[in-house]
Amino acid sequence: MNRFYVLIYTIVKPFVCLLFPFRVRGLERLPTGGAVLCANHVSAADPVLIAVALPKDAGLRFMAKKELFGNRLVGWFLRKCGAFPVNRGENDMSAIKTALKCLQSGEKLMIFPEGTRVDHEGDTEAKGGAIMLSTRTGVPLVPVYCGEKKKFLRRSTIVFGEPYIPAIAGRRATAEENHRLAEELLEKIYALRETA
């Protein structure tokens, strides 16, 4: 267990719950062991809200854009909290290897399939990284809907969907399968809005 993460979680959670209150649905669906948590991404607060919605011992890791690690102090803090950088728009083998290792060791990995913050569903296509990680490791994907209209002191909702492993024809997903399955994942994420 990452003791630094647990410490920060314990300090931060009461403030997050006070300033950005939220309710959680479907947390009982969270599988034990490795899983890729795939959420929509509207606000910079999303990773923090999802993290504190989970138990502090969930073993959560974060794939975060490389730019966040540019400042030495911020980069140190993020790494201590379990985040690692990914160079978006490139085939970042170092990030992929780190992600595979996390999942194979039973940790949970948070990814935003849209690859960036978006204002509305459909503003961008889903990226295929989550599909690739799931099909290569055999761990399930967990769609997560994080309420789109977050306001200071106004309650939002976080919904955890049913975990599933995407079905592919061969040992590895083709480019076409990856694209189709990534879009299906995004549909599953936004479908959870109806239960929020």
Side-chain angles (χ1 to χ4, degrees), residues 38-43 46 111-127 142-150 157 159-162 164 181-196:
C38 306
N40 62 308
H41 196 11
V42 179
S43 160
D46 294 337
I111 290 181
F112 297 102
E114 290 158 310
T116 187
R117 291 197 297 268
V118 298
D119 291 326
H120 304 99
E121 178 184 0
D123 281 356
T124 185
E125 289 187 341
K127 309 299 184 283
V142 180
V144 182
Y145 174 75
C146 194
E148 295 167 73
K149 297 181 180 177
K150 297 174 194 68
T157 304
V159 185
F160 292 86
E162 290 290 346
Y164 74 101
L181 292 168
E183 288 300 318
E184 286 178 6
L185 169 61
L186 212 50
E187 288 172 11
K188 288 178 184 289
I189 291 168
Y190 282 104
L192 294 171
R193 179 170 44 201
E194 303 304 318
T195 63

Side-chain angles (χ1 to χ4, degrees), residues 26-38 54-55 57-60 103 106-109 134 138-144 160-165:
L27 190 57
E28 71 281 356
R29 298 174 181 143
L30 195 69
T32 56
V36 187
L37 308 185
C38 306
L54 293 165
D57 61 353
L60 186 61
L103 295 170
E107 294 177 303
K108 290 175 176 56
L109 178 63
S134 175
V139 304
L141 300 172
V142 180
V144 182
F160 292 86
E162 290 290 346
Y164 74 101
I165 297 176

